[in-house]
Amino acid sequence: EAQVTQNPRYLITVTGKKLTVTCSQNMNHEYMSWYRQDPGLGLRQIYYSMNVEVTDKGDVPEGYKVSRKEKRNFPLILESPSPNQTSLYFCASSRANYGYTFGSGTRLTVV
Amino acid sequence: RKEVEQDPGPFNVPEGATVAFNCTYSNSASQSFFWYRQDCRKEPKLLMSVYSSGNEDGRFTAQLNRASQYISLLIRDSKLSDSATYLCVVTDSGGGADGLTFGKGTHLIIQP
């Protein structure tokens, strides 16, 4: 089944403890991106990647890192999470000129 | 800064009615346009792409007006299952390589 898989689905962590949210797609898509969704603010792009080893900042990249060492994987790294990074996170992938397919989301709480 | 504006609603509509949403986008160079549907904080799902010539998929019709920079979605014969948040989405690069810019969504409630 063609899909985007995010892990974990739910995570509660403490301020400053490094974490990684994984994202993997099995559709051989070139494009991948990360979004966060917050009440009243909608979905905002964090980082995107056009292909392996090609990444760029979106609208809200502060406090996040990404890597694209393989085409299928695009992990989101929070080196030192803070409470304002508590959010619902979505990973998505696409090929050129098609709409994006989203993962099921990761609900992160930083205390 | 690129922006996509939508009326947040909620739109309360009786079952069987026709409902229309619009959205406007700020970047005249935007390349691709979509409507996504999102249920109860689940992942957004692609509803349909939007073209200048207009396109239809069953009860759904989408239209793009590049001159006025707005996008519309029409839902005919609405069903209870159409209740959701509808997200207007644009990309600024050809093909969507730089990801998506979302409107904040329009909340639709279909009432029996």
Side-chain angles (χ1 to χ4, degrees):
Chain A
E1 179 188 354
Q3 59 186 0
V4 177
T5 303
Q6 289 180 235
N7 281 297
R9 291 292 307 278
Y10 302 92
L11 179 61
I12 301 174
T13 190
V14 296
T15 299
K17 185 177 181 181
K18 181 180 178 180
L19 67 91
T20 299
V21 184
T22 63
C23 175
S24 181
Q25 50 95 4
N26 62 0
M27 297 168 280
N28 200 36
H29 286 168
E30 296 86 5
Y31 308 151
M32 298 187 75
S33 51
W34 275 101
Y35 302 85
R36 62 178 289 174
Q37 186 170 29
D38 303 287
L41 298 177
L43 282 139
R44 295 176 293 166
Q45 189 181 68
I46 303 170
Y47 268 94
Y48 64 94
S49 171
M50 296 185 186
N51 215 322
V52 176
E53 302 291 1
V54 181
T55 63
D56 210 344
K57 296 177 180 179
D59 296 318
V60 289
E62 296 78 19
Y64 304 95
K65 288 173 57 177
V66 293
S67 68
R68 188 92 182 273
K69 295 186 173 65
E70 307 162 287
K71 198 171 188 179
R72 64 183 291 124
N73 294 323
F74 189 44
L76 180 69
I77 303 156
L78 285 72
E79 294 273 2
S80 183
S82 63
N84 65 12
Q85 292 178 297
T86 292
S87 188
L88 177 59
Y89 291 87
F90 290 106
C91 179
S93 73
S94 173
R95 57 187 173 102
N97 298 312
Y98 282 78
Y100 277 72
T101 300
F102 283 76
S104 299
T106 295
R107 193 172 293 276
L108 173 66
T109 301
V110 184
V111 298
Chain B
R1 179 181 170 181
K2 50 190 179 183
E3 290 183 346
V4 178
E5 300 287 343
Q6 292 181 252
D7 181 344
F11 284 51
N12 289 282
V13 174
E15 192 175 8
T18 296
V19 59
F21 311 134
N22 292 328
C23 88
T24 59
Y25 58 96
S26 63
N27 184 358
S28 60
S30 292
Q31 297 285 326
S32 302
F33 308 89
F34 306 92
W35 283 102
Y36 277 74
R37 170 194 169 126
Q38 187 175 29
D39 296 283
C40 293
R41 304 280 277 178
K42 293 189 176 180
E43 73 271 24
K45 292 185 177 178
L46 179 65
L47 182 64
M48 58 199 304
S49 302
V50 189
Y51 307 109
S52 297
S53 55
N55 49 304
E56 187 173 310
D57 183 2
R59 299 181 292 107
F60 298 84
T61 301
Q63 186 78 48
L64 166 65
N65 185 319
R66 282 192 181 269
S68 301
Q69 293 179 215
Y70 83 77
I71 304 156
S72 64
L73 177 68
L74 183 77
I75 306 174
R76 291 180 299 279
D77 187 24
S78 52
K79 311 291 185 191
L80 294 175
S81 57
D82 294 333
S83 297
T85 296
Y86 290 84
L87 302 167
C88 179
V89 182
V90 306
T91 70
D92 290 334
S93 71
D98 63 350
L100 306 174
T101 299
F102 286 84
K104 292 180 182 177
T106 297
H107 188 40
L108 174 65
I109 301 170
I110 305 299
Q111 297 174 327

